[in-house]
Coordinates of all heavy atoms in Angstrom, one line a residue:
E1 N 105.1 118.1 129.0 CA 106.3 118.0 128.2 C 106.2 116.8 127.2 O 106.7 117.0 126.0 CB 107.5 117.7 129.1 CG 107.9 119.0 129.9 CD 109.0 118.7 130.9 OE1 109.6 117.6 130.9 OE2 109.3 119.6 131.7
R2 N 105.6 115.7 127.6 CA 105.5 114.6 126.7 C 104.5 115.0 125.5 O 104.8 114.7 124.4 CB 104.9 113.4 127.4 CG 105.9 112.4 127.9 CD 105.2 111.1 128.3 NE 104.1 111.2 129.1 CZ 104.0 111.2 130.4 NH1 105.1 111.1 131.1 NH2 102.9 111.3 131.1
G3 N 103.5 115.8 125.8 CA 102.6 116.3 124.8 C 103.3 117.2 123.8 O 103.1 117.1 122.6
A4 N 104.2 118.1 124.4 CA 104.9 119.0 123.5 C 105.9 118.2 122.6 O 106.0 118.5 121.4 CB 105.6 120.0 124.4
V5 N 106.5 117.2 123.2 CA 107.5 116.4 122.4 C 106.7 115.7 121.3 O 107.2 115.6 120.2 CB 108.2 115.4 123.3 CG1 109.0 114.4 122.5 CG2 109.2 116.2 124.2
E6 N 105.6 115.1 121.7 CA 104.8 114.4 120.7 C 104.3 115.3 119.6 O 104.3 115.0 118.4 CB 103.5 113.8 121.4 CG 102.7 112.9 120.5 CD 103.4 111.6 120.1 OE1 104.3 111.1 120.9 OE2 103.0 111.0 119.1
L7 N 103.9 116.5 119.9 CA 103.5 117.5 118.9 C 104.7 117.9 118.0 O 104.5 117.9 116.8 CB 103.0 118.8 119.6 CG 102.4 119.9 118.7 CD1 101.2 119.4 118.1 CD2 102.1 121.1 119.6
K8 N 105.9 118.1 118.5 CA 107.1 118.4 117.7 C 107.4 117.2 116.8 O 107.7 117.4 115.7 CB 108.3 118.7 118.6 CG 108.4 120.1 119.0 CD 108.8 121.0 117.9 CE 109.0 122.4 118.3 NZ 108.9 123.3 117.2
K9 N 107.3 116.0 117.4 CA 107.6 114.8 116.6 C 106.6 114.7 115.4 O 107.0 114.5 114.2 CB 107.4 113.5 117.4 CG 107.7 112.2 116.7 CD 107.4 111.0 117.5 CE 106.0 110.6 117.2 NZ 105.5 109.4 117.7
N10 N 105.3 115.0 115.6 CA 104.4 115.0 114.5 C 104.6 116.1 113.5 O 104.5 115.8 112.3 CB 103.0 115.2 115.1 CG 102.5 114.0 115.9 OD1 103.0 112.9 115.7 ND2 101.5 114.1 116.7
E11 N 105.1 117.2 114.0 CA 105.4 118.3 113.0 C 106.6 117.9 112.1 O 106.6 118.1 110.9 CB 105.8 119.6 113.7 CG 104.6 120.3 114.4 CD 105.1 121.5 115.2 OE1 106.2 122.0 115.0 OE2 104.3 122.0 116.1
F12 N 107.6 117.3 112.8 CA 108.8 116.8 112.0 C 108.4 115.7 111.0 O 108.9 115.7 109.9 CB 109.9 116.4 113.0 CG 110.6 117.5 113.6 CD1 110.9 117.4 115.0 CD2 111.0 118.6 112.9 CE1 111.6 118.4 115.6 CE2 111.7 119.6 113.6 CZ 112.0 119.6 114.9
Q13 N 107.6 114.8 111.4 CA 107.1 113.7 110.5 C 106.4 114.3 109.3 O 106.6 113.9 108.2 CB 106.3 112.7 111.3 CG 107.1 111.8 112.2 CD 106.2 110.9 113.0 OE1 105.1 111.1 113.3 NE2 106.8 109.8 113.4
G14 N 105.6 115.3 109.6 CA 104.8 116.0 108.5 C 105.8 116.7 107.5 O 105.7 116.5 106.3
E15 N 106.8 117.3 108.1 CA 107.8 118.0 107.2 C 108.6 117.0 106.4 O 108.9 117.2 105.2 CB 108.7 118.9 108.1 CG 109.6 119.7 107.3 CD 108.9 120.8 106.4 OE1 107.9 121.3 106.8 OE2 109.5 121.1 105.4
L16 N 108.9 115.9 107.1 CA 109.7 114.8 106.4 C 108.9 114.3 105.3 O 109.4 114.0 104.2 CB 110.1 113.8 107.5 CG 110.9 112.6 107.0 CD1 112.3 113.1 106.5 CD2 111.1 111.6 108.1
Q17 N 107.6 114.0 105.5 CA 106.7 113.5 104.5 C 106.6 114.5 103.3 O 106.7 114.1 102.1 CB 105.3 113.2 105.0 CG 104.4 112.6 104.0 CD 104.9 111.3 103.5 OE1 105.6 110.5 104.2 NE2 104.6 111.0 102.2
K18 N 106.6 115.8 103.5 CA 106.5 116.8 102.5 C 107.8 116.7 101.6 O 107.8 116.8 100.4 CB 106.4 118.2 103.0 CG 105.0 118.5 103.5 CD 105.0 120.0 104.0 CE 103.7 120.3 104.8 NZ 103.7 121.6 105.4
Q19 N 108.9 116.6 102.3 CA 110.2 116.6 101.7 C 110.4 115.3 100.8 O 110.9 115.3 99.7 CB 111.4 116.7 102.7 CG 111.5 118.0 103.3 CD 112.5 118.1 104.4 OE1 113.1 117.1 104.8 NE2 112.7 119.4 104.9
R20 N 109.9 114.2 101.3 CA 109.9 112.9 100.5 C 109.0 113.1 99.3 O 109.4 112.6 98.2 CB 109.4 111.8 101.4 CG 110.4 111.3 102.4 CD 109.8 110.1 103.1 NE 110.8 109.6 104.1 CZ 110.5 109.2 105.3 NH1 109.3 109.1 105.7 NH2 111.5 108.7 106.1
E21 N 107.9 113.7 99.4 CA 107.0 113.9 98.2 C 107.7 114.8 97.2 O 107.6 114.6 96.0 CB 105.7 114.5 98.7 CG 104.8 113.5 99.4 CD 103.6 114.2 100.1 OE1 103.4 115.4 100.0 OE2 102.8 113.4 100.8
Q22 N 108.4 115.9 97.7 CA 109.1 116.7 96.8 C 110.2 116.0 96.1 O 110.4 116.2 94.9 CB 109.7 117.9 97.6 CG 108.7 119.0 98.0 CD 109.3 120.1 98.8 OE1 110.4 119.9 99.5 NE2 108.7 121.3 98.8
I23 N 110.9 115.2 96.8 CA 112.0 114.4 96.2 C 111.4 113.4 95.1 O 111.9 113.3 94.0 CB 112.7 113.5 97.2 CG1 113.6 114.5 98.1 CG2 113.6 112.4 96.6 CD1 114.2 113.8 99.3
D24 N 110.2 112.8 95.4 CA 109.6 111.9 94.4 C 109.2 112.7 93.2 O 109.4 112.2 92.1 CB 108.4 111.3 95.0 CG 108.7 110.2 96.1 OD1 109.9 109.8 96.1 OD2 107.8 109.8 96.8
K25 N 108.7 113.9 93.3 CA 108.3 114.7 92.2 C 109.5 115.1 91.4 O 109.5 115.0 90.1 CB 107.6 116.0 92.6 CG 106.2 115.8 93.1 CD 105.5 117.1 93.6 CE 104.2 116.8 94.2 NZ 103.6 118.1 94.7
I26 N 110.6 115.5 92.0 CA 111.8 115.9 91.3 C 112.4 114.7 90.6 O 112.8 114.8 89.4 CB 112.8 116.5 92.3 CG1 112.4 117.8 92.8 CG2 114.2 116.6 91.7 CD1 113.2 118.3 94.0
Q27 N 112.4 113.5 91.2 CA 112.9 112.3 90.5 C 112.0 112.0 89.3 O 112.5 111.6 88.3 CB 113.0 111.1 91.5 CG 114.1 111.2 92.5 CD 114.1 110.1 93.5 OE1 113.1 109.6 93.9 NE2 115.3 109.8 94.0
S28 N 110.7 112.1 89.5 CA 109.8 111.8 88.4 C 110.0 112.7 87.2 O 110.1 112.3 86.0 CB 108.4 111.8 88.9 OG 107.5 111.6 87.8
L29 N 110.2 114.0 87.5 CA 110.4 115.0 86.5 C 111.8 114.7 85.8 O 111.9 114.8 84.6 CB 110.4 116.4 87.1 CG 110.6 117.5 86.1 CD1 109.6 117.6 85.0 CD2 110.7 118.9 86.9
H30 N 112.8 114.4 86.6 CA 114.1 114.2 86.0 C 114.0 112.9 85.1 O 114.6 113.0 84.0 CB 115.1 113.9 87.1 CG 116.5 113.6 86.7 ND1 117.3 114.4 86.1 CD2 117.1 112.4 86.7 CE1 118.4 113.8 85.7 NE2 118.3 112.6 86.1
S31 N 113.4 111.9 85.5 CA 113.2 110.7 84.7 C 112.5 111.0 83.4 O 112.9 110.6 82.3 CB 112.4 109.6 85.4 OG 113.2 109.1 86.5
F32 N 111.5 111.8 83.4 CA 110.7 112.2 82.2 C 111.6 113.0 81.3 O 111.7 112.8 80.1 CB 109.5 113.1 82.7 CG 108.7 113.6 81.5 CD1 107.9 112.8 80.8 CD2 108.8 114.9 81.2 CE1 107.1 113.3 79.7 CE2 108.0 115.4 80.1 CZ 107.2 114.6 79.4
Q33 N 112.4 114.0 81.8 CA 113.3 114.8 81.0 C 114.4 113.9 80.4 O 114.7 114.1 79.2 CB 113.9 115.9 81.9 CG 112.9 117.0 82.3 CD 113.5 118.0 83.3 OE1 114.4 117.7 84.0 NE2 112.9 119.1 83.3

């Protein structure tokens, strides 16, 4: 169960990182525009 929880946590952290990168790209594009 700990292993499964750790795996889920890592998946969520990866998804969170992707979303942060998308936000950064959108903000950069908005600033440029």
Side-chain angles (χ1 to χ4, degrees):
E1 288 174 7
R2 269 196 310 270
V5 168
E6 188 69 25
L7 186 63
K8 274 289 185 199
K9 182 187 91 170
N10 291 340
E11 287 176 19
F12 285 136
Q13 286 176 335
E15 187 62 32
L16 184 60
Q17 184 60 32
K18 285 181 191 176
Q19 290 175 355
R20 285 183 178 141
E21 290 169 4
Q22 287 177 332
I23 288 170
D24 289 344
K25 286 179 185 177
I26 291 168
Q27 286 176 328
S28 179
L29 179 60
H30 177 71
S31 293
F32 177 74
Q33 289 172 336

